[in-house]
Structures are given as C-alpha cells and as structure tokens.
Amino acid sequence: MSAILYYNDSFLREWTTTIVERKEQDQQHFVRLAETAFYPHGGGQPCDTGVINDIAVLDVVKEEEVIWHQVERLPIEDQADCQLNWERRFDHMQHHTGQHLLSATALQLFDAPTLSFHLGQDMVTIDIDRSSFSDAEMTTLEQAVNQRIYNNLAIKSYFVNAEQLAQLPIVKMPKVTEHIRIVEIEGVEYNACGGTHVAQTGQIGIIKLFKAEKQKGSIRLYFKCGARALQDYNDSLDILNTLAVKFNTGRKDILERFGKWEEDQQQLKTELEQLRKANDIHEAKQLSSQIQNQQLTHMFEHKTLPDLQRIAANLMAEQPLTVLLATLSEYKVFLAQNGHPQLKCGAFFKEHLSTFNGKGGGSDLSAQATFTSEADLIAFYTFAEQQLGIMH
C-alpha cells in the first residue's frame, strides 16, 4: 500500500519517491509508488495527471488499497521524480471544496441533502433532494455560500476511529469503519471524505450557480468555482462586448436594442413573404402558357425546393394539372398532381430514382427527390418528362 501524501498536504506539487512495482495490462503500462500525491478517481472527483521521470501520467486508479499510475511507458529507473499537473489539481480542489460548502449550505437553508456530485471538464453539478428549486432560492443559496467563501473559513482534515466519529455531527456516515478521514469546514460541517481540498474557503474564489434542472424527482444544480467561474465570466463578457459593438450601444442596452432588431427582422420577414407570394403568382401565370394536355414541366436555374412547391400549388389551384419542376442549384425535383389518379407520384419516384442515383419519396399527390450531380438530375428530369407524356 502506497503512503498517500495528499492526505496531509493537498498543496504538494513535486516529490521524489521509489517505484516499487511495475506491470503491463491490456497493452497499458502501470507503476506503483512507495509514496504518491496523485489522486485516483473517486468520490465524484477525477484523477490527477502529471509526470513521473518526465513520462506522462495518463490515469490514476485505485484497486482495493493499491494506487496504480498509468504511464505512457514504463520508467527504467527505480527513483521516481514526480510532478502534478497543478492547474488541474487546484481546479479539482476548488470544485470539490466548493461542492462541500454548497451541499452543506443547501442542506441547512432548504433541508435539501445532496444525492450525487459530478465534476466534469466543463460544468460541475450536484443533485439535491428537492422536487423544485426557484430562481429566488437559487439567489439565496448563491449569496449564502459565497458569504462563507468571503469569511475565509478554515478547512482541515484528520483521521478518527469509530468511537470518535460517533461524537461528530457527520453529514453522512461512511462505509468504512476504521481509518476514517474527516474534512471539517470551520463552523459549517464535518464530512467523511478522501478527496483533495483547499485550506481556506477563500481559496475557492467564488461559486457561481448557473441553473437548476429537474432530474427524475430531484434537482440538478450546475455551478462553477474559482478560475472556471472567472473564465466563464470573461467568455460571457467577450460576447457582450462583441454584441455591444455590433449594436453600437452599451452592454446594459443590448437587450433593448436586440428587441428592436427582432421587430425589424419580423417586419422584413413579413414584407419578404408578401413579395415572395406575389412573385410566385407572377411566375405561375407566366408558366401557365406552357401547359399542354394538363401537364407542365420546367427546370429552373436558381430555386429552392419550397419555391418549387409554392409555384406548383399556385399552378394547380386553377385547374387539374400534373407539374414536374426541377432546380439546378439544389439538384432537386418536385412532382405533383391533382385530378390524375393514374399517376402515383411517390410510387413513380420509388420505382425509378435509384436508376439515376436519386433519393426521395412522397405520397400519391406529390413527391420530391435529390440527386448527387447535375447530370443525374437532368437525366431523371428528361426521363420523367417522357414518361409523363406517355401517361397523358
């Protein structure tokens, strides 16, 4: 069993020890150290990374009481010069301690015990035993937990036996019955935990709650601490500043300006729709001169599929008709009919599209298809035009 250095000093970044065992498993390389400050996965907290003799530590796992360090390759030397990825470790310390403080405050203010904790690469969450959580409660919780950060409360850890544990107002009884590690936040809580934590609540920096989300009978709270919260603020500030420049206004007036922009866009959309309808009617009237034997076929250079559908609808509103339209810009074909029951548009496409590398389908009254090339589109359009002529 390795001596665990982070129990006594979570701020230890570098140390020298001895490699006591090496192994290879599933083409992966592992070493066991006489002493380690690398934290293994556990308790909702991801493992540490870093280097051993300048060889990258990829993963750290605990198997029963043994901590194994997965490395890129096995070191040759028995002496091990170890170094933590400190930015990652301190981020985990801020968030794990922040979770303790957040959970304790939620329990005390709202009688909402924490059910689970997840420390992800982006967002961090706790699930609390509540069926709902209002915005006002979010604000109250956030202010209370940050006040405890500002108070810079002391955090200490120590080991107790079962008899000593029974004297403590512990949050949740641990599964182990000996060598029990307690993490105490001054005046807030006693928690059985084997993780890494900061020494004062002020080192958490800040806790920012982002949202409360219903999660199968509980509430999931999303939050960030310290450096992550600052980075999120800076990212949001960059977005606000960019919007302020685009709208030529101050940050406080962005929502008002954005609302005005939305109104303008809606007005433009309405005007565009009116012009589109007028243009569709105009195009339908022009195309109507090409109708022969209740059939119209036409190929456009630049149209969308919705354009083809609207034009066909305008044409067929006046009389029974079969309409075959194509657009070269999108490699699409649209076929529609009303009053010609012998033509089943969807079935016609299903029977013939694969011959021309086309995909699509539809109903008896209309069908649409897409092609991978202009040549395939033109070939199918020409074929369909001939077949429709024979049917008529």
Side-chain angles (χ1 to χ4, degrees), residues 32 91 104 132 135 147 151 168 173 176 182 212 222 230 251 271 284 293 329 334 339:
R32 181 165 65 88
D91 172 77
S132 64
D135 290 343
Q147 184 59 56
N151 292 343
L168 298 177
M173 293 301 295
V176 295
I182 299 298
Y222 291 77
L230 177 61
R251 293 202 302 265
E271 293 175 0
N293 298 324
S329 61
F334 180 69

Side-chain angles (χ1 to χ4, degrees), residues 62-81:
K62 189 173 184 179
E63 296 179 356
E64 296 181 352
E65 296 302 316
V66 178
I67 295 178
W68 289 101
H69 309 74
Q70 183 188 347
V71 289
E72 281 189 329
R73 65 181 188 279
L74 290 176
I76 299 173
E77 309 87 349
D78 288 336
Q79 177 175 303
D81 296 320

Side-chain angles (χ1 to χ4, degrees), residues 300-304 327-332 377:
F300 295 93
E301 285 284 340
H302 301 289
K303 290 289 183 185
T304 65
T327 172
L328 293 174
S329 61
E330 291 191 352
Y331 301 158
K332 292 185 184 294
L377 166 71

Side-chain angles (χ1 to χ4, degrees), residues 47-292:
C47 73
D48 288 321
T49 59
V51 293
I52 298 174
N53 293 348
D54 294 323
I55 300 171
V57 175
L58 306 176
D59 197 8
V60 185
V61 295
K62 189 173 184 179
E63 296 179 356
E64 296 181 352
E65 296 302 316
V66 178
I67 295 178
W68 289 101
H69 309 74
Q70 183 188 347
V71 289
E72 281 189 329
R73 65 181 188 279
L74 290 176
I76 299 173
E77 309 87 349
D78 288 336
Q79 177 175 303
D81 296 320
C82 307
Q83 183 176 5
L84 289 178
N85 177 342
W86 179 246
E87 183 178 355
R88 176 182 171 93
R89 157 61 78 80
F90 190 64
D91 172 77
H92 292 171
M93 289 165 62
Q94 284 185 315
H95 282 90
H96 200 153
T97 314
Q99 176 266 313
H100 278 238
L101 198 60
L102 181 61
S103 293
T105 307
L107 180 62
Q108 292 161 10
L109 290 182
F110 302 106
D111 193 27
T114 292
L115 305 174
S116 65
F117 164 53
H118 174 69
L119 205 171
Q121 291 185 350
D122 179 33
M123 198 66 72
V124 187
T125 65
I126 59 170
D127 289 0
I128 60 174
D129 191 8
R130 282 285 297 270
S131 59
S132 64
F133 208 67
S134 68
D135 290 343
E137 289 173 319
M138 282 267 288
T139 300
T140 299
L141 177 59
E142 182 177 87
Q143 290 175 344
V145 75
N146 278 290
Q147 184 59 56
R148 284 173 161 174
I149 291 175
Y150 308 149
N151 292 343
N152 202 27
L153 305 172
I155 300 167
K156 56 185 179 180
S157 63
Y158 46 85
F159 288 91
V160 298
N161 57 34
E163 183 178 346
Q164 293 168 322
L165 179 68
Q167 306 303 313
L168 298 177
I170 200 78
V171 175
K172 182 181 178 181
M173 293 301 295
K175 295 180 181 179
V176 295
T177 56
E178 57 183 21
H179 203 61
I180 304 162
R181 183 169 181 256
I182 299 298
V183 175
E184 177 188 346
I185 302 178
E186 178 189 355
V188 176
E189 73 160 7
Y190 297 82
N191 203 323
C193 181
T196 58
H197 305 85
V198 295
Q200 306 279 147
T201 58
Q203 292 171 328
I204 298 170
I206 189 174
I207 289 181
K208 177 59 188 172
L209 299 181
F210 288 87
K211 64 178 178 178
E213 181 180 85
K214 289 187 177 181
Q215 192 75 21
K216 294 182 179 179
S218 62
I219 293 294
R220 178 163 295 171
L221 298 179
Y222 291 77
F223 69 98
K224 291 183 181 180
C225 297
R228 282 202 216 186
L230 177 61
Q231 185 60 53
D232 188 275
Y233 173 81
N234 287 333
D235 292 344
S236 299
L237 193 61
D238 286 343
I239 294 170
L240 284 175
N241 287 335
T242 300
L243 290 172
V245 170
K246 286 186 178 295
F247 285 111
N248 192 27
T249 189
R251 293 202 302 265
K252 292 183 178 179
D253 298 322
I254 286 175
L255 290 179
E256 181 181 341
R257 292 296 297 272
F258 186 76
K260 181 63 170 60
W261 177 83
E262 282 187 313
E263 291 177 5
D264 292 343
Q265 291 300 305
Q266 186 58 47
Q267 179 62 32
L268 289 173
K269 184 178 178 181
T270 300
E271 293 175 0
L272 180 61
E273 186 63 27
Q274 292 172 346
L275 289 172
R276 181 182 285 124
K277 287 180 179 179
N279 185 64
D280 290 342
I281 293 171
H282 175 72
E283 288 206 66
K285 285 183 178 179
Q286 285 191 317
L287 288 171
S288 62
S289 62
Q290 301 176 26
I291 296 173
Q292 294 182 0

Side-chain angles (χ1 to χ4, degrees), residues 295-337:
Q295 178 178 309
L296 172 70
T297 62
H298 191 83
M299 184 175 293
F300 295 93
E301 285 284 340
H302 301 289
K303 290 289 183 185
T304 65
L305 178 62
D307 291 336
L308 303 185
Q309 292 169 330
R310 288 194 307 271
I311 292 169
N314 277 307
L315 286 164
M316 294 190 299
E318 302 296 328
Q319 58 186 305
L321 196 62
T322 300
V323 180
L324 175 68
L325 303 177
T327 172
L328 293 174
S329 61
E330 291 191 352
Y331 301 158
K332 292 185 184 294
V333 171
F334 180 69
L335 174 64
Q337 63 87 10

